[in-house]
Amino acid sequence: MDSQTSQSSQASPSPHTFQVDLRGLVDLLSHHLYSSPKVYLRELLQNAVDAITARRAEQPDAPARVRLSVDAGGGLRVEDSGIGLTESDVHSLLATIGRSSKRADGLQAARSDFLGQFGIGLLACFVVAERIRVVSRSARTPQAPPVEWTAADDGSYTVRTLPDAERPEPGTTVHLVARAGAAEWLAEERVLALARDFGSLLPYDVRVGEEEVTDLPAPWDRAYPSPANRRVALARHCHELFGFTPLDSIELNVPLAGIRGVAYVLPAAVSPAQRAGHRVHLKGMLLTERAEQLLPDWAFFVRCVLDTDSLRPTASRESLYEDETLAAVREALGERIRSWLTGLAAGDPQRLAAFLSVHHLGVKSLARHDKEMLRTMLPWLPFETTDGRLSLEEFAQRHPVVHFTRTVEEYRQVAPIASAQGVGVINGGYTYDSELVEALPSVRPGTVVAELDADTVTAHLDAVDPAEELALAGFLAAARARLDPLGCDVVLRAFHPLSVPALHLDDRASRHEQARAEAEERADDLWAGILGSLRGSAPRARLVLNHLNPLIRRISSLGDAELIGTATESLYGQALLMAQRPLRPADSALLNRAFMGLLEWATNGEEGR
């Protein structure tokens, strides 16, 4: 008994074969693998081109043609002069999902020359066809009779041999019969448009009826009478392909990666976050027109079209596989674009200026991580400064210390006053600008860069004579008492321009402390305790009153503490508005209160006169 049990446990279970629901698989292909039914034509062209490539590997002088035609009944016929199939090939390859002819004996060594890699191309035709008929004759075995394979979208198929007259020459003919609702995809006009889109760069003679599909050499490989003629021709090609006339075109020639093509510079600014779609041909066949990972992120200002024989497609053959080869190609193409920029800087400043007026953001993004690019672009990249729009190089030549602010709000606070005091300031609040200013000493040794904060600005303002400030102690005490609940100090300085009565200064630390204090006031006991424990020692915001301003002199001579407080609130609100700072609810309430207080004082004064 034990022996029988042991023998039974050692017996191998009977193997089973997967059962495939072809209709379900076709639905999976059409809805999840392929982006559109149009890829069926690419798969047909791809199979035909691969068959010709296989035959020419053995017979270099073999004909190389692909013919597509639409019959009177709306069916599509695709005929190629490729390697063809025997009856055993048909059973082995066409009837087995996932098996590719590129894995057949004798073809493995030449496999890198093929477009298809996944053995599901013919199956994709069921996305538009209810029946597929393939008639083929092998070039390897010329004595073998033609063979016919007919398949329906329910998964059934038949195979039979035919008389020699059905296919006298080696090659393959594929007949498609449209499925319900898909006839438009087999219409002659649609077939021609798709064939030209997918196959314009194929190396063989491809025609739809009498219409040529291929258009070789590619526009970037053609000879032109002059560089100007070349630019015009490429600009026309860009407009036909992408719908815009480029600012310039950049040659993309990377022989080691088998890449030839062109990058077109967009004529209008785009967001750096917008992913560019590039057209990539693989050995002449259009692979995708939405390749997003082809270029570095900083090169968002170009659109590329290229042909390659080295990049690897994904299973759907509609995008690129992320691997070491793609990473190397991305770096090489980025270097080409970088070289184009440095070439413009060295030899064509007018075109560079036109480019930077539109795409300075992309170049700044590149210069953040590339010291050579930053050094090259120093005389060209524009920045907002208190001296106007200048390059970093020109600004650094004018000022011994390059001051900058990290936010636009900080710049607006200090720019007018700093400029009047002879302090140059760069607005670093825009994308990448503060990073580039801080990197300036690394490419321009000896340059001093300093962030401009409230203390630095105040230090550049002239102090008031101690005796005069002491005489105004009562006025300053009343002003400080009124603004103290807002977390703002009041100081007295003398500065230009005289027309500015007051200046509101703070920094990020004081704004952070102010926000914490406001949150503490609104919080319940638990959170108020937590926020209270985070109280910092940062300096408070300050309202700098200009002792040289006539209005400040008149206000400081008032004897009414309440009126001094109302006037101080008005100066505080006006200083916030001048700095274009967002108003908190408390600030808005203060402005309204001060406005109404001044109106009441004015009307009461009028009644008393």
Side-chain angles (χ1 to χ4, degrees):
M1 182 69 176
D2 291 341
S3 175
Q4 291 177 348
T5 302
S6 175
Q7 291 176 0
S8 175
S9 65
Q10 293 175 5
S12 299
S14 300
H16 298 277
T17 303
F18 281 106
Q19 300 299 309
V20 176
D21 179 352
L22 188 59
R23 284 191 175 131
L25 187 56
V26 169
D27 182 71
L28 181 67
L29 289 174
S30 61
H31 289 93
H32 299 285
L33 184 62
Y34 296 123
S35 61
S36 166
K38 69 180 183 180
V39 297
Y40 87 92
L41 193 68
R42 184 196 62 197
E43 301 295 343
L44 288 173
L45 285 176
Q46 196 158 274
N47 287 340
V49 169
D50 284 345
I52 293 172
T53 301
R55 184 175 180 185
R56 284 206 155 182
E58 300 179 6
Q59 305 171 18
D61 296 330
R65 59 179 180 269
V66 182
R67 297 290 181 265
L68 299 90
S69 58
V70 177
D71 59 36
L76 177 64
R77 171 190 174 103
V78 181
E79 183 176 4
D80 68 68
S81 58
I83 193 69
L85 302 170
T86 63
E87 184 177 1
S88 62
D89 292 335
V90 167
H91 282 289
S92 174
L93 301 174
L94 298 188
T96 305
I97 294 172
R99 181 172 295 175
S100 172
S101 62
K102 272 66 78 176
R103 299 186 179 93
D105 293 339
L107 295 184
Q108 191 68 30
R111 190 177 175 201
S112 63
D113 294 328
F114 295 113
L115 302 172
Q117 300 278 327
F118 298 95
I120 58 175
L122 196 59
L123 185 66
C125 294
F126 281 119
V127 173
V128 298
E130 68 176 12
R131 190 168 70 256
I132 302 174
R133 177 173 176 260
V134 178
V135 177
S136 187
R137 184 163 197 162
S138 174
R140 281 206 194 94
T141 315
Q143 68 276 15
V147 60
E148 176 193 70
W149 177 84
T150 304
D153 60 2
D154 62 1
S156 62
Y157 71 93
T158 60
V159 178
R160 65 189 181 102
T161 57
L162 302 173
D164 288 351
E166 284 280 344
R167 179 84 205 193
E169 299 295 330
T172 300
T173 303
V174 180
H175 303 260
L176 300 187
V177 176
R179 66 190 306 171
E184 61 175 302
W185 293 104
L186 272 62
E188 185 169 9
E189 186 176 340
R190 177 66 68 89
V191 169
L192 178 59
L194 292 178
R196 283 178 170 163
D197 195 36
F198 285 121
S200 62
L201 301 184
L202 289 174
Y204 303 135
D205 179 14
V206 183
R207 297 172 185 264
V208 176
E210 298 301 320
E211 298 286 341
E212 280 193 62
V213 167
T214 51
D215 185 21
L216 295 175
W220 51 84
D221 285 330
R222 295 172 190 169
Y224 297 95
S226 68
N229 289 105
R230 182 180 184 81
R231 278 197 297 271
V232 170
L234 290 178
R236 187 185 308 115
H237 175 249
C238 175
H239 194 274
E240 293 171 354
L241 208 58
F242 295 115
F244 66 84
T245 300
L247 283 178
D248 206 349
S249 56
I250 307 169
E251 299 288 333
L252 301 179
N253 184 9
V254 187
L256 291 178
I259 285 178
R260 288 284 300 156
V262 61
Y264 294 116
V265 181
L266 291 165
V270 294
S271 167
Q274 180 178 331
R275 302 295 293 179
H278 308 291
R279 287 177 65 94
V280 177
H281 296 256
L282 180 60
K283 303 180 184 72
M285 181 74 74
L286 178 65
L287 179 70
T288 179
E289 51 192 355
R290 298 189 304 274
E292 296 182 348
Q293 68 273 50
L294 187 66
L295 295 181
D297 290 341
W298 56 261
F300 56 82
F301 49 83
V302 299
R303 295 291 181 271
C304 295
V305 54
L306 54 84
D307 188 28
T308 176
D309 59 13
S310 64
L311 297 179
R312 179 182 169 192
T314 58
S316 66
R317 290 192 287 277
E318 294 189 284
S319 59
L320 298 171
Y321 189 84
E322 185 67 54
D323 58 10
E324 292 181 358
T325 301
L326 179 57
V329 165
R330 183 162 48 234
E331 183 177 347
L333 295 180
E335 182 58 38
R336 269 305 290 122
I337 297 172
R338 184 185 291 108
S339 298
W340 169 78
L341 283 170
T342 55
L344 286 186
D348 200 338
Q350 187 173 358
R351 283 170 68 198
L352 178 64
F355 166 75
L356 289 178
S357 67
V358 178
H359 295 298
H360 58 274
L361 198 58
V363 179
K364 286 180 177 180
S365 174
L366 170 59
R368 288 183 306 154
H369 308 294
D370 190 321
K371 288 185 179 180
E372 284 304 313
M373 181 57 63
L374 178 58
R375 184 178 290 108
T376 301
M377 291 292 115
L378 275 181
W380 306 102
L381 288 175
F383 288 78
E384 182 181 356
T385 78
T386 49
D387 294 352
R389 287 189 71 79
L390 296 176
S391 69
L392 287 180
E393 176 67 28
E394 189 173 359
F395 187 87
Q397 290 174 356
R398 294 185 181 188
H399 299 278
V401 178
V402 177
H403 288 102
F404 73 99
T405 63
R406 290 192 183 277
T407 69
V408 175
E409 289 78 10
E410 290 171 351
Y411 178 79
R412 288 170 178 166
Q413 282 187 85
V414 303
I417 307 304
S419 180
Q421 310 308 309
V423 179
V425 185
I426 295 175
N427 184 355
Y430 297 113
T431 306
Y432 310 133
D433 283 8
S434 61
E435 296 175 68
L436 293 174
V437 175
E438 290 181 296
L440 191 55
S442 68
V443 296
R444 197 177 189 275
T447 303
V448 179
V449 173
E451 182 176 354
L452 190 68
D453 55 20
D455 288 334
T456 305
V457 175
T458 306
H460 278 83
L461 303 180
D462 293 333
V464 177
D465 181 85
E468 290 188 54
E469 187 166 1
L470 183 61
L472 297 176
F475 159 72
L476 291 174
R480 287 166 181 155
R482 185 58 65 96
L483 295 187
D484 184 67
L486 296 173
C488 183
D489 291 331
V490 177
V491 297
L492 189 66
R493 293 289 187 273
F495 57 86
H496 292 274
L498 300 180
S499 58
V500 178
L503 175 66
H504 181 271
L505 293 176
D506 64 1
D507 53 27
R508 285 185 303 281
S510 62
R511 287 197 296 273
H512 176 76
E513 174 60 21
Q514 189 177 62
R516 186 211 58 77
E518 291 176 357
E520 182 181 355
E521 291 179 3
R522 297 192 302 267
D524 56 27
D525 292 342
L526 173 62
W527 282 108
I530 295 174
L531 290 169
S533 68
L534 299 176
R535 183 179 293 111
S537 59
R540 302 203 304 172
R542 67 202 70 174
L543 182 68
V544 184
L545 302 180
N546 187 0
H547 188 55
L548 301 180
N549 181 268
L551 177 62
I552 296 298
R553 286 182 174 273
R554 288 197 296 271
I555 294 174
S556 64
S557 65
L558 295 173
D560 186 339
E562 183 64 27
L563 185 55
I564 289 175
T566 300
T568 302
E569 288 179 336
S570 299
L571 291 169
Y572 173 83
Q574 188 261 355
L576 286 180
L577 294 174
M578 289 294 293
Q580 301 182 42
R581 293 289 306 279
L583 298 180
R584 301 169 296 162
D587 297 330
S588 299
L590 175 145
L591 276 173
N592 290 332
R593 183 172 65 248
F595 178 70
M596 297 304 295
L598 289 176
L599 282 179
E600 184 177 350
W601 176 82
T603 54
N604 288 338
E606 185 66 28
E607 291 174 359
R609 282 194 287 270

